[in-house]
């Protein structure tokens, strides 16, 4: 990903372990890209790994008996909920 072409950037200074910097230097040479690009990619990965999403991971909840259900009951319960939401008839779920 080449950030230079589509977004403005802000300069910052960070302290880095010399061994990490040596690995980055070697990787940049091997990949034919700048050390700065590898560091930008690392910052992006760190930012994405630490972001907080406003949406819950699961947007639907289903009522249940409060115990772990066998696979067949889970499938049937989900199929029934989908039928209720979509207004589908009583056909079998595939």
């Amino acid at each position: 990903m080449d950030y230079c072409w589509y977004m403005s950037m802000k300069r910052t200074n960070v302290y880095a372990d010399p061994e990490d910097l040596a690995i980055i230097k070697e990787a940049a040479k091997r990949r034919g890209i700048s050390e700065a690009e590898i560091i930008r990619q690392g910052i992006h990965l760190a930012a994405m790994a630490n972001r907080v999403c406003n949406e819950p991971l699961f947007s639907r909840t289903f009522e249940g008996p409060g115990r772990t259900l066998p696979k067949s009951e889970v499938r049937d319960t989900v199929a029934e909920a989908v039928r209720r939401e979509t207004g589908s008839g009583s056909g079998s779920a595939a």
Side-chain angles (χ1 to χ4, degrees):
M1 195 178 300
D2 190 3
Y3 295 98
C4 297
W5 296 105
Y6 64 89
M7 66 186 288
S8 65
M9 292 194 228
K10 184 173 178 170
R11 182 183 173 102
T12 188
N13 294 319
V14 297
Y15 291 97
D17 185 273
E19 293 166 357
D20 290 340
L21 293 175
I23 293 169
I24 290 170
K25 182 181 277 293
E26 181 181 307
K29 184 176 181 181
R30 184 177 63 250
R31 293 174 59 195
I33 62 175
S34 70
E35 294 170 44
E37 181 60 25
I38 291 177
I39 293 168
R40 280 191 290 272
Q41 290 172 0
I43 290 170
H44 179 70
L45 290 172
M48 293 294 98
N50 289 286
R51 69 185 176 151
V52 176
C53 295
N54 293 330
E55 294 293 318
L57 182 58
F58 299 103
S59 60
R60 293 188 201 179
T61 58
F62 299 99
E63 291 184 24
R67 62 178 169 80
T68 301
L69 299 173
K71 184 177 178 179
S72 61
E73 281 188 65
V74 171
R75 185 187 60 242
D76 295 343
T77 302
V78 171
E80 179 58 33
V82 169
R83 279 194 291 271
R84 278 195 311 268
E85 276 192 16
T86 61
S88 296
S90 59
S92 65

